[in-house]
Amino acid sequence: MRNQIDLLATVTVLGVLEQAYFVLQVIYARRKYKISPPETTGHPEFERIFRAQVNCSEYFPIFISLLWVAGIFFHQGVAAASGLLYLCARLQYFRGYARAPSGRLGPLYASARLLWLLLGLAVAGLLGHFLPLGDAAGRWLRLVFPW
C-alpha cells in the first residue's frame, strides 16, 4: 500500500514545508519592519510578503486535494511530478511577489496551469474508475492513460 502513495506523501510533506517557509518569511518581515499582529499593513515589502504567503495558503487545500485524487485515480508518478512543478512555481511566485508585484505573474500563470492539469488528471482518473467502458473504448483509454 505504501509504495502506491509514497510519492504523493513526499510531495505533500514538501508542500507543508514550503508553507512553513512562507510563514517564517512573514514572521521575519514583521520583525524587520516592526509590524505586530494583527496588523497586515505597513512597509510595502512586508505587505508583498504577507500577501504572497496568504495567496499561497489559499490555494494549498485545492492543490493537496487534486494531487491526491489525481495520484490515486490516475497515476501517482504523473501527479507527483506535476505537484513538484507546482511547488517550484509557487516558490518562484512567492519570491517574485516579494521583490515586486509584477514578479508574480509568470509563476502565477504556471502554477494555475499545473492546477488545471491536476484537475484534468483527477477527472480523467475518476471517469475511468466510475464509467463502465466498452472493450474498444476501455482498451484505448488504458493505452493512453495507464491507470
Side-chain angles (χ1 to χ4, degrees), residues 123-134 138 141-142 147:
V123 168
L126 287 169
L127 286 174
H129 177 74
F130 285 113
L131 291 181
L133 301 171
L141 279 175
R142 280 188 284 286
W147 63 85

Side-chain angles (χ1 to χ4, degrees), residues 3-65:
N3 64 345
Q4 295 173 339
I5 59 169
D6 56 349
L7 298 176
L8 300 175
T10 302
V11 173
T12 299
V13 170
L14 289 173
V16 169
L17 290 172
E18 183 177 67
Q19 291 296 309
Y21 169 78
F22 296 156
V23 169
L24 286 173
Q25 296 310 300
V26 172
I27 292 169
Y28 298 150
R30 282 189 182 281
R31 290 178 184 161
K32 180 178 180 180
Y33 299 109
K34 297 176 177 45
I35 300 170
S36 299
E39 295 295 321
T40 58
T41 59
H43 192 278
E45 185 177 343
F46 166 76
E47 290 182 12
R48 289 192 307 270
I49 291 169
F50 178 78
R51 200 58 237 154
Q53 183 268 324
V54 170
N55 288 351
C56 291
S57 295
E58 290 170 345
Y59 281 92
F60 194 66
I62 297 168
F63 163 67
I64 291 297
S65 301

Side-chain angles (χ1 to χ4, degrees), residues 15 56 109 140:
C56 291
Y109 298 143
W140 182 84

